[in-house]
Amino acid sequence: MKITIKDLHEGINEFEQDIPSEEVQVKEIGFFAGPIHMGIFIDKLENLFRFKIALQTTLQQSCDRCLESFRSDFSTEIEQIYHLGPDSLDSDEIEVLPANAKEIDISKVIHDAFILNRPLKQLCRDDCRGLCPNCGTNRNLKDCDCDKEDIDPRFAKLKSLLK
Ligand SMILES: [Zn+2]
Ligand SMILES: [Zn+2]
């Protein structure tokens, strides 16, 4: 994923671009269900390029609890500063590129943005009931009998008296 910089003008440049999902591989996050939309804002000051990129896409993930596949919207923002040629500011936040660079490869910052901002838990819904650890039934779809059999017989008797 490269941004051509030779045509950018001084000051603020704004445009939108889509990345085909095949171009970004982030195995930690599942699959992309569609293209990745980017809103790109670049503030150019001579050899200094301040990037702000808003990413928006739909993920195809598998639920940590019930293992079913589900889709979820994902959006995040990236900021990165690039400098063409050696830069006197010598800051960790600035990535230095060759002085004659014609384009900037943003693949890595996009990849990192997905890794850093990915949901730590992948759940099809907040109250997903998951799979029964005993028989493997998806408890979102139907109840199994395992819980009932686990009940202490004495309590079962008590329960039947209370009915
Ligand atoms: Zn689930
Ligand atoms: Zn069960």
Side-chain angles (χ1 to χ4, degrees):
M1 182 63 235
K2 287 173 179 150
I3 301 290
T4 305
I5 52 171
K6 62 176 170 38
D7 300 329
L8 297 178
H9 52 78
E10 291 295 309
I12 291 163
N13 300 260
E14 272 185 289
F15 52 97
E16 292 186 0
Q17 202 165 318
D18 281 358
I19 319 175
S21 53
E22 312 84 69
E23 282 192 26
V24 184
Q25 300 290 337
V26 189
K27 63 180 187 306
E28 293 86 346
I29 205 168
F31 297 93
F32 296 101
I36 298 152
H37 306 290
M38 295 193 297
I40 303 174
F41 169 105
I42 304 169
D43 189 2
K44 177 182 184 309
L45 180 66
E46 296 178 350
N47 289 331
L48 194 69
F49 298 80
R50 191 163 59 91
F51 275 59
K52 281 189 198 173
I53 304 172
L55 294 173
Q56 196 274 317
T57 190
T58 303
L59 302 175
Q60 185 84 47
Q61 300 184 296
S62 83
C63 179
D64 290 339
R65 284 190 200 148
C66 71
L67 310 179
E68 290 293 318
S69 178
F70 68 100
R71 288 182 174 200
S72 64
D73 291 334
F74 180 91
S75 58
T76 190
E77 275 186 19
I78 308 167
E79 289 195 38
Q80 179 68 49
I81 303 171
Y82 299 94
H83 192 275
L84 299 192
D87 112 74
S88 52
L89 298 169
D90 193 29
S91 160
D92 287 347
E93 285 165 27
I94 299 178
E95 191 172 331
V96 176
L97 302 170
N100 60 355
K102 301 275 186 292
E103 52 192 14
I104 294 180
D105 190 343
I106 56 170
S107 309
K108 190 180 178 303
V109 289
I110 289 179
H111 184 270
D112 291 352
F114 279 113
I115 295 287
L116 291 172
N117 298 302
R118 72 185 190 275
L120 292 178
K121 266 196 185 301
Q122 300 185 11
L123 293 179
C124 63
R125 61 188 208 212
D126 286 342
D127 62 348
C128 171
R129 300 174 66 209
L131 302 178
C132 170
N134 192 36
C135 70
T137 294
N138 182 342
R139 294 188 286 200
N140 297 319
L141 303 177
K142 66 175 181 139
D143 289 319
C144 58
D145 293 327
C146 301
D147 286 346
K148 293 165 197 156
E149 284 164 14
D150 281 346
I151 295 173
D152 187 308
R154 285 166 298 170
F155 286 118
K157 198 169 180 202
L158 188 66
K159 226 177 163 184
S160 68
L161 289 173
L162 291 171
K163 268 181 191 165

